[in-house]
């Protein structure tokens, strides 16, 4: 692809690069929620196109459909989640059934399970909820009124199986035909063009191709930067120490980099039949996600003694999986603090009916540093669901597992190519050394926007303030700033969304903030296309609004009269004359009063001109 030149880090592009109105980097729950919400609010944008190319500019219902691309390194929706569930043997989610990617129906996942007679894949938390069905409670010295949970909440807060969650997500993808937007590739950089408000951004890929997006949503997950304790830094090259994210990335891959699920489907397609795989199902856990015997994964070389480091759910999963391996003689789980048992990754008051009250208190904090401290205090490091804690305790009783709490790993060194010496200390004992044949790190990941590779060019051209240089401060609608149309969702939006930004509830909250801004931008861009084609004053006004860096943001207060005057002046300079005088007057009055250009298009019925 030709690159005609650069202006600092703001790059200009030639005309032979594929251009999209909206590019979303990442194909996880955040992206799925955004596109499903756009499809629900603007069905004409997603309806079948008469052209053979689903992303073409063919008019539909009197307006053109936006060209959309969703970037994923595997070219598949939720591919990372698919690998994670299979690679770590995750049988059920940690988020309740009320948190999913269907923004139109809060009970969509529950209805999906009921209609398909899969209610047995929902794990109820009735005892926990019954114990918390009480009116009022003091939190931080303030009494909260109302019930935290009520009886109708019991089915909505059941825990779905991983397989049920993935099937529901695929159902949402199929319903709105979202597979057509997927583009396979690894994005290596997002570069602002010379006029990002008008021209957008250039996205570079590892295969050296480029793409341009008028507006971009960064929806990368929190697994890009695995956290590795410093004591293991010198022995990572040995292959004996592996982070959990690397374990499932390396083992749950079918040779060509595709996910296990896609590989099974491809194999079935070649055989000319439907996908049929034999799975081992545990009677006590209906719907358990297991590795198909038709495509068995290579067993990790964990040896005879395994050390698991971490105190959260990932470390628990690693320890349980190691104990299930008959080739392992001994498993030791080391954690810096006491293991914390918690149903969800945040306290109950951040999940049930009191969630709104807690978020209100959080948003009253004006200092981003105070918000980040509040998030750290609420999440409090890793925690383990009750169902996993029961398994850990059973393994300890059987002598298969040893748990060392309040421990510190002082050093780690190679004894031989296949053995590692680790020095461990606790408050009650001096450092002592044990030898292991493998170390698995369940230590989570770092949140550091300065280390995210794809955002480095944007940080250079458009710096952003960040707490500790790591956690960005975005606008209310999760835009990078008020002048460029790039949004960030997921864990990097936690200062705006609160502690839930790290889970599926954060995907829903982020969608609520991003979609109004996106639909206004896309409607304005579609209006400009219609205007350039038909020579209407409406399109000229939309083009002028874009060139003036005017965006919809509920924190911005634009001068509507000045904006209307600028738009009409721009139309006169281009020699665009409205065909009917009343259109000009109506456009002036509507835009001058701060009205929506999208609504103006609907009022004037531009599509029938």
């Amino acid at each position: 692809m030709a690159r005609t030149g650069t202006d600092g880090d703001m790059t200009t592009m030639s005309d032979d690069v594929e251009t999209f109105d909206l590019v979303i980097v990442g194909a996880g729950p955040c992206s799925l929620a955004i596109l499903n919400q756009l499809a629900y609010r603007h069905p004409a944008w997603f309806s079948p196109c008469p052209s053979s190319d689903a992303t073409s500019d063919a008019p539909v219902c009197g307006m053109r459909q936006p060209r959309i691309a969703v970037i994923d390194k595997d070219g598949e929706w939720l591919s990372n989640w698919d690998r994670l569930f299979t690679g770590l043997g995750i049988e059920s989610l940690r988020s309740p059934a009320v948190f999913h990617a269907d923004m139109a129906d809060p009970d969509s996942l529950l209805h999906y399970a009921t209609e398909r007679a899969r209610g047995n894949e929902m794990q109820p938390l009735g005892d926990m909820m019954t114990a918390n069905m009480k009116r009022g409670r003091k939190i931080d010295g303030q009494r909260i009124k109302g019930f935290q949970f009520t009886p109708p909440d019991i089915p909505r807060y059941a825990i779905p199986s991983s397989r049920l969650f993935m099937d529901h997500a695929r159902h949402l993808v199929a319903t709105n035909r979202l597979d057509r937007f997927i583009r396979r590739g690894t994005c290596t950089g997002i570069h602002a063009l010379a006029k990002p408000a008008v021209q957008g951004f250039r996205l570079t890929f590892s295969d050296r191709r480029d793409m341009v997006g008028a507006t971009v949503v960064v929806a990368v997950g929190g697994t890009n930067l695995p956290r590795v304790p410093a004591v293991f830094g010198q022995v990572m090259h040995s292959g004996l120490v592996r982070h959990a994210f690397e374990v499932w990335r390396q083992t749950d891959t079918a040779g060509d980099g595709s996910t296990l699920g896609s590989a099974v489907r491809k194999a079935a397609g070649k055989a000319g039949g439907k996908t049929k795989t034999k799975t081992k199902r545990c009677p006590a856990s209906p719907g358990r996600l297991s590795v198909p015997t038709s495509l068995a994964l290579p067993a990790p070389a964990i040896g005879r003694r395994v050390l698991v480091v971490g105190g959260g759910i990932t470390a628990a999963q690693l320890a349980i999986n190691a104990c299930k391996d008959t080739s392992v003689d001994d498993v030791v789980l080391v954690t810096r603090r006491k293991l914390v048992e918690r149903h969800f990754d945040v306290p109950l008051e951040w999940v049930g009916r009191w969630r709104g009250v807690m978020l209100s208190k959080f948003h009253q904090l004006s200092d981003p540093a105070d918000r980040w401290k509040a998030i750290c205090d609420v999440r409090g490091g890793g925690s383990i669901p009750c169902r996993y804690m029961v398994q850990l305790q059973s393994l300890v009783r059987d002598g298969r597992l040893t748990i060392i709490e309040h421990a510190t790993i002082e050093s780690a060194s190679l004894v031989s190519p296949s053995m590692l010496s680790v020095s461990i200390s606790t408050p009650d004992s001096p450092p002592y050394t044990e030898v292991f044949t493998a170390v698995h790190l369940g230590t989570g990941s770092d949140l550091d926007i300065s280390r995210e590779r794809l955002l480095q060019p944007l940080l250079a051209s458009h710096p952003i303030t960040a707490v500790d240089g790591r956690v960005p401060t975005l606008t209310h609608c999760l835009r990078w700033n008020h002048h460029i149309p790039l949004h960030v969702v997921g864990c990097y939006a936690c200062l705006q969304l609160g502690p839930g930004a790290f889970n599926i509830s954060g995907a829903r909250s982020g969608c609520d903030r991003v979609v109004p801004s996106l639909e206004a931008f896309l409607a304005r861009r579609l209006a400009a296309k219609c205007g350039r084609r038909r020579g209407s004053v409406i399109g000229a006004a939309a083009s002028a609004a874009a060139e003036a860096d005017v965006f919809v943001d509920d924190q911005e207060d634009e001068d509507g009269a000045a904006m209307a005057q600028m738009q009409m002046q721009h139309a006169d300079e281009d020699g665009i004359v409205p065909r009917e005088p009343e259109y000009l007057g109506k456009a002036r009055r509507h835009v001058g009063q701060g009205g929506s250009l999208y609504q103006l298009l609907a009022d004037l019925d531009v599509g029938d001109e």
Side-chain angles (χ1 to χ4, degrees):
M1 296 299 177
R3 302 180 185 177
T4 59
T6 60
D7 180 13
D9 284 318
M10 294 176 290
T11 309
T12 58
M13 294 295 301
S14 61
D15 296 331
D16 61 344
V17 178
E18 194 173 16
T19 301
F20 294 89
D21 298 307
L22 169 63
V23 176
I24 303 178
V25 183
C30 293
S31 307
L32 186 57
I34 289 172
L35 287 189
N36 270 288
Q37 181 73 335
L38 284 173
Y40 174 73
R41 297 174 70 156
H42 304 280
W45 290 1
F46 294 80
S47 60
C49 184
S51 169
S52 59
D53 181 5
T55 58
S56 70
D57 288 333
V60 176
C61 303
M63 292 186 65
R64 297 184 177 186
Q65 292 183 339
R67 299 198 73 216
I68 300 172
V70 179
I71 310 302
D72 181 76
K73 64 180 181 295
D74 298 311
E76 207 176 302
W77 282 101
L78 273 71
S79 60
N80 260 2
W81 287 64
D82 195 5
R83 272 199 305 269
L84 180 65
F85 290 154
T86 306
L88 294 180
I90 300 175
E91 301 173 359
S92 58
L93 261 65
R94 198 171 189 184
S95 297
V98 73
F99 295 148
H100 49 76
D102 189 353
M103 301 296 296
D105 181 9
D107 294 326
S108 174
L109 180 56
L110 188 61
H111 294 157
Y112 178 86
T114 303
E115 291 168 0
R116 289 156 179 80
R118 296 178 64 177
N120 60 342
E121 296 185 44
M122 307 283 284
Q123 179 183 354
L125 300 178
D127 293 341
M128 178 275 295
M129 299 186 69
T130 303
N132 286 276
M133 287 179 186
K134 44 191 173 185
R135 184 190 296 272
R137 175 183 171 190
K138 276 192 176 182
I139 299 178
D140 296 334
Q142 178 182 354
R143 179 169 292 278
I144 300 179
K145 298 181 179 180
F147 289 97
Q148 184 171 4
F149 295 105
T150 61
D153 292 331
I154 292 180
R156 302 182 68 195
Y157 285 87
I159 303 298
S161 71
S162 303
R163 191 177 65 172
L164 177 63
F165 174 81
M166 289 297 297
D167 288 346
H168 176 255
R170 295 187 183 103
H171 168 72
L172 297 178
V173 170
T175 299
N176 293 310
R177 302 169 59 245
L178 301 182
D179 267 337
R180 56 188 167 145
F181 301 126
I182 285 285
R183 297 291 187 276
R184 182 171 182 172
T186 301
C187 182
T188 58
I190 300 176
H191 306 253
L193 296 178
K195 292 182 179 180
V198 182
Q199 299 171 323
F201 307 86
R202 173 172 62 87
L203 290 83
T204 57
F205 292 84
S206 57
D207 58 2
R208 299 190 62 78
R209 61 189 171 90
D210 290 350
M211 177 186 294
V212 170
T215 183
V216 174
V217 177
V218 178
V220 296
T223 62
N224 292 335
L225 304 172
R227 183 184 299 121
V228 177
V231 294
F232 293 107
Q234 299 299 320
V235 293
M236 289 296 293
H237 67 280
S238 66
L240 302 180
V241 182
R242 302 171 71 186
H243 195 281
F245 298 157
E246 297 303 321
V247 170
W248 62 259
R249 279 177 182 150
Q250 293 173 11
T251 60
D252 193 18
T253 303
D256 59 350
S258 60
T259 62
L260 178 65
S262 65
V264 173
R265 286 190 290 275
K266 288 178 183 177
K270 292 180 180 179
K274 297 183 179 180
T275 303
K276 293 184 179 180
T277 57
K278 297 180 181 180
T279 59
K280 298 179 181 180
R281 179 169 297 182
C282 175
S285 179
R288 174 185 176 185
L289 189 68
S290 58
V291 180
T293 57
S294 61
L295 190 66
L297 301 176
I302 56 177
R304 308 294 292 178
R305 293 202 76 216
V306 176
L307 172 65
V308 178
V309 181
I313 183 173
T314 303
Q317 291 162 341
L318 290 172
I320 293 171
N321 290 341
C323 291
K324 290 179 180 178
D325 194 314
T326 56
S327 67
V328 177
D329 295 328
D330 187 25
V331 180
V332 178
L333 173 62
V334 172
T335 174
R336 292 181 301 175
R337 57 190 178 88
K338 183 177 177 62
L339 294 180
V340 177
E341 183 177 327
R342 186 185 288 169
H343 281 282
F344 310 111
D345 61 342
V346 291
L348 287 178
E349 56 266 22
W350 287 88
V351 178
R353 293 176 177 263
W354 292 348
R355 178 168 171 263
V357 177
M358 303 307 298
L359 282 173
S360 177
K361 291 168 62 67
F362 173 80
H363 289 138
Q364 290 174 9
L365 301 173
S366 57
D367 188 350
D370 292 339
R371 290 192 176 189
W372 176 239
K373 183 179 181 302
I375 291 172
C376 295
D377 292 342
V378 169
R379 297 186 65 83
S383 58
I384 301 175
C386 302
R387 58 187 182 278
Y388 285 118
M389 190 69 81
V390 170
Q391 294 183 55
L392 292 178
Q393 293 169 350
S394 175
L395 292 170
V396 170
R397 288 193 299 269
D398 294 341
R400 294 280 296 157
L401 174 67
T402 301
I403 299 178
I404 306 176
E405 298 178 323
H406 304 289
T408 301
I409 297 179
E410 303 290 347
S411 63
S413 59
L414 283 174
V415 176
S416 70
S418 61
M419 299 181 70
L420 196 68
S421 174
V422 180
S423 177
I424 305 172
S425 67
T426 63
D428 300 330
S429 66
Y432 61 94
T433 301
E434 292 201 32
V435 176
F436 298 93
T437 52
V439 176
H440 285 179
L441 303 178
T443 48
S445 59
D446 287 324
L447 194 66
D448 189 349
I449 197 170
S450 66
R451 293 166 52 197
E452 289 287 352
R453 180 184 178 188
L454 78 165
L455 293 175
Q456 295 300 313
L458 193 64
L459 286 168
S461 62
H462 294 79
I464 188 174
T465 58
V467 176
D468 298 334
R470 302 184 298 116
V471 190
T473 56
L474 309 171
T475 70
H476 181 76
C477 67
L478 309 186
R479 232 181 18 239
W480 191 263
N481 59 41
H482 294 302
H483 307 293
I484 62 174
L486 182 139
H487 298 77
V488 179
V489 295
C491 54
Y492 281 110
C494 61
L495 294 182
Q496 287 67 41
L497 301 179
F502 297 82
N503 55 38
I504 303 177
S505 70
R508 296 179 63 87
S509 301
C511 177
D512 284 335
R513 296 204 185 195
V514 168
V515 165
S517 181
L518 286 180
E519 63 183 354
F521 179 89
L522 294 174
R524 186 163 53 245
R525 190 168 170 84
L526 293 173
K529 289 181 181 179
C530 293
R532 285 194 296 270
R533 184 181 63 184
R534 299 185 176 92
S536 70
V537 69
I538 309 306
S543 299
E547 293 179 13
D549 292 358
V550 177
F551 297 101
V552 175
D553 191 325
D554 47 6
Q555 286 189 336
E556 296 175 344
D557 185 15
E558 300 292 348
D559 187 342
M563 181 171 119
Q565 183 179 1
M566 177 273 301
Q567 291 167 340
M568 296 305 115
Q569 180 181 357
H570 183 88
D572 292 341
E573 291 173 355
D574 285 353
I576 299 175
V577 179
R579 292 195 296 266
E580 297 182 20
E582 59 266 26
Y583 274 28
L584 177 60
K586 190 166 185 178
R588 265 204 194 97
R589 289 192 300 273
H590 188 93
V591 180
Q593 295 169 0
S596 162
L597 285 170
Y598 178 79
Q599 185 59 46
L600 178 59
L601 283 173
D603 293 344
L604 298 181
D605 198 12
V606 173
D608 295 332
E609 290 184 5

